[in-house]
Amino acid sequence: MRAFSFLALLPLLAACARAPAPILADEPLSPVQAACREEARNAQPVDDFARQMNMNNVNNRERVTHDMRVAELRAYRDCLRRNGLAAPGGVESPRPAQ
């Protein structure tokens, strides 16, 4: 009886093991979004954090990299808002694939 119940679960386990759905490519940026992305990359807070980077210290590098991403995203969203565009992602911001 136990062997039969185990065999009945095999198709369910096989269904769980299938390959994940492929990640769709992001939509291309509009000219305004591309300009905002470039502005955000060159924003002063991003440069300020970049100056704090110590490549020999892993903890510092991780903290500063995170702070730079947050500052760049904030600058990008501020630029979009100034130009009357909505931020991408709807309710939850899209997360980069890792």
Side-chain angles (χ1 to χ4, degrees), residues 31 33-35 46-47 50 64 82 91 94 97:
Q33 289 173 325
V46 177
D47 289 340
V64 171
R82 271 195 319 272
V91 175

Side-chain angles (χ1 to χ4, degrees), residues 37-53:
R37 178 65 65 198
E38 187 63 30
E39 179 182 322
R41 286 187 180 125
N42 297 321
Q44 186 63 40
V46 177
D47 289 340
D48 292 342
F49 284 120
R51 282 190 212 100
Q52 297 176 15
M53 182 79 73

Side-chain angles (χ1 to χ4, degrees), residues 22-96:
I23 297 174
L24 300 176
D26 293 334
E27 295 179 18
L29 297 177
S30 71
V32 175
Q33 289 173 325
C36 283
R37 178 65 65 198
E38 187 63 30
E39 179 182 322
R41 286 187 180 125
N42 297 321
Q44 186 63 40
V46 177
D47 289 340
D48 292 342
F49 284 120
R51 282 190 212 100
Q52 297 176 15
M53 182 79 73
N54 178 358
M55 295 305 286
N56 296 323
N57 184 331
V58 175
N59 293 330
N60 171 271
R61 192 170 56 227
E62 289 174 356
R63 179 188 59 82
V64 171
T65 301
H66 172 74
D67 291 343
M68 287 172 62
R69 281 195 316 259
V70 169
E72 184 178 329
L73 180 60
R74 183 173 293 131
Y76 178 63
R77 289 177 186 267
D78 289 345
C79 178
L80 290 177
R81 204 172 298 121
R82 271 195 319 272
N83 289 295
L85 297 176
V91 175
E92 183 177 354
S93 299
R95 297 177 187 206

